[in-house]
Amino acid sequence: MQATIALLPGDGIGPEVVAEGVRVLNAVAAAYGHSFAYREALLGGCAIDATGSPLPAATLAACEAADAVLLGAVGGPKWDDPRAKVRPEQGLLGLRKALGLYANLRPVAVPEQLAERSPLRPELVRGVDLIVVRELTGGIYFGAKESVFIRPDEERAYDTCVYTTSEIARVVRRAADLARQRRGLLTSVDKANVLETSRLWRRVTTEIVAHEYPDLRLEHILVDACAMHLLRRPADFDVIVTENMFGDILTDEASMLTGSLGMLPSASLGDGQRGLYEPIHGSAPDIAGQGRANPLATILSTALLLRHSLGLEAEAAAVEAAVAATLEQGIVTADLAAAGSAYSTEAVGTAVVAALQRQPVAA
Ligand code: IPM
Ligand code: MG
């Protein structure tokens, strides 16, 4: 097949990890007879430096014209002034919103080879296979916000959390569809004992599952309790659905089940086939440019891209198998390596490509 993929390397380690993702996509294209064309564009801090805007019109146009978008990370100390009017993160949030990508899938699976690397005891994380479906274009990230001086010496800031029935319903349906293909357990996470948006979330979720997904088991958990249960009994979870900020926080926590934030991929989807694929980690400015970043979250994101936007399931599974083979060989970056045995970003990418090339191609 032919596909166009927009590349947004972004800032910090973004370009390094995206480069490895592209090598893997090229290896897939060669092995399976596909042709992928890439269009690179600016997003985040690099876009601010070049154009003044974190999401230039040309970038949005490139994404809209593509079948899928592969993104690295945005942000860094250079643009971190809390007084700044434009911020790299606005580019990412604006892009998610403009493309209508309301459902952010963040799978967390702990491969056997990583069970020993987690800060949790291996018997706790063994067999973890969950997916967080994070609402991505609403909530407190997008509600009215402001900081104003109410007196010369007193400033007052607010952010508002807003959800509508339909915004909740569409992401809950997406999560419920996934639960149906998996183990049939849907966990909805909210703060319904305090927040009005959470009470609406809980009512809408309960109703949709009762009427449209009576075959699923639905549980509601408060977000603070969920944070605890993710450490105490992570293997019990199947599909977790939650609002934007809770999902942001819980997935950084959940990444530690695998031992590294550098392992978690994500797919941001809307109603069409086009999706945005990115590692859940940030731009890691402290290690940028050193060839130390773990490219596996980005490489696993390319598997999600093949699966969800291009419909190439065999190719997606091949990438995931190649990552598993690379872990099996102990070829990992510093975040996962025992002292003195770390491989570079590029060496890990090379190992994944080699593992892909060793696999027989299913006809
Ligand atoms: C994420 C990131 C972003 C978010 C930041 C960079 C705006 O933390 O994708 O999880 O909060 O959504
Ligand atoms: Mg985050």
Side-chain angles (χ1 to χ4, degrees):
M1 85 176 305
Q2 294 205 330
T4 303
I5 300 170
L7 300 177
L8 310 179
D11 308 316
I13 60 170
E16 298 163 57
V17 294
V18 166
E20 300 312 315
V22 169
R23 288 176 66 206
V24 168
L25 285 170
N26 285 337
V28 167
Y32 289 80
H34 303 306
S35 151
F36 300 148
Y38 304 102
R39 303 274 180 275
E40 196 167 320
L42 297 170
L43 182 79
C46 60
I48 294 176
D49 289 351
T51 72
S53 160
L55 175 57
T59 297
L60 183 55
C63 295
E64 282 170 336
D67 298 297
V69 183
L70 182 65
L71 190 148
V74 298
K78 183 174 176 194
W79 309 279
D80 256 355
D81 176 3
R83 291 259 162 226
K85 285 273 175 290
V86 283
R87 306 179 53 84
E89 292 77 7
Q90 291 163 342
L92 178 57
L93 300 183
L95 183 63
R96 291 168 175 172
K97 189 81 168 180
L99 296 177
L101 307 172
Y102 57 81
N104 181 221
L105 279 45
R106 298 187 160 189
V108 185
V110 179
E112 181 53 35
Q113 308 87 322
L114 291 189
E116 302 284 340
R117 303 246 62 105
S118 170
L120 273 80
R121 293 196 304 279
E123 66 268 27
L124 270 174
V125 298
R126 214 159 252 141
V128 165
D129 179 13
L130 63 90
I131 179 161
V132 177
V133 180
R134 168 189 176 194
E135 200 291 324
L136 203 59
T137 52
I140 199 162
Y141 274 55
F142 290 93
K145 59 186 77 200
E146 197 179 27
S147 190
V148 281
F149 279 95
I150 49 176
R151 285 198 311 272
D153 61 342
E154 182 84 329
E155 199 169 353
R156 178 173 172 271
Y158 63 83
D159 299 273
T160 35
C161 185
V162 184
Y163 272 110
T164 61
T165 311
S166 56
E167 284 175 325
I168 299 167
R170 63 187 183 177
V171 72
V172 166
R173 287 196 178 97
R174 178 74 73 143
D177 288 339
L178 277 172
R180 211 168 236 175
Q181 298 158 21
R182 295 170 49 102
R183 304 196 302 279
L185 173 63
L186 181 63
T187 303
S188 174
V189 175
D190 62 35
K191 187 74 184 173
N193 54 346
V194 177
L195 301 177
E196 203 55 50
T197 41
S198 281
R199 286 190 279 272
L200 179 62
W201 185 282
R202 198 175 274 220
R203 287 201 301 277
V204 171
T205 305
T206 303
E207 214 157 279
I208 287 178
V209 174
H211 290 115
E212 300 170 32
Y213 301 88
D215 49 308
L216 297 184
R217 282 170 296 139
L218 170 66
E219 60 179 13
H220 301 280
I221 306 192
L222 296 173
V223 63
D224 48 353
C226 184
M228 182 268 290
H229 287 297
L230 272 173
L231 302 184
R232 205 185 61 145
R233 50 175 193 91
D236 287 355
F237 291 100
D238 183 11
V239 178
I240 295 175
V241 64
T242 191
E243 66 92 49
N244 203 343
M245 189 160 78
F246 296 161
D248 178 45
I249 297 169
L250 291 178
T251 49
D252 266 33
E253 182 192 4
S255 75
M256 277 298 130
L257 302 169
T258 71
S260 172
L261 189 56
M263 288 301 299
L264 256 58
S266 86
S268 303
L269 306 171
D271 287 327
Q273 285 288 109
R274 193 194 303 114
L276 166 71
Y277 301 86
E278 52 172 322
I280 83 154
H281 63 68
S283 60
D286 52 322
I287 58 163
Q290 300 174 21
R292 289 170 59 198
N294 185 347
L296 292 180
T298 305
I299 290 172
L300 289 168
S301 297
T302 69
L304 298 179
L305 182 159
L306 293 164
R307 176 173 295 130
H308 294 286
S309 282
L310 306 186
L312 300 174
E313 177 55 38
E315 288 83 338
V319 170
E320 287 162 350
V323 168
T326 302
L327 293 172
E328 191 65 52
Q329 293 169 272
I331 300 179
V332 290
T333 39
D335 50 326
L336 288 169
S341 65
Y343 287 76
S344 71
T345 308
E346 196 185 337
V348 171
T350 300
V352 175
V353 167
L356 256 173
Q357 288 165 345
R358 283 197 302 274
Q359 286 175 38
V361 173

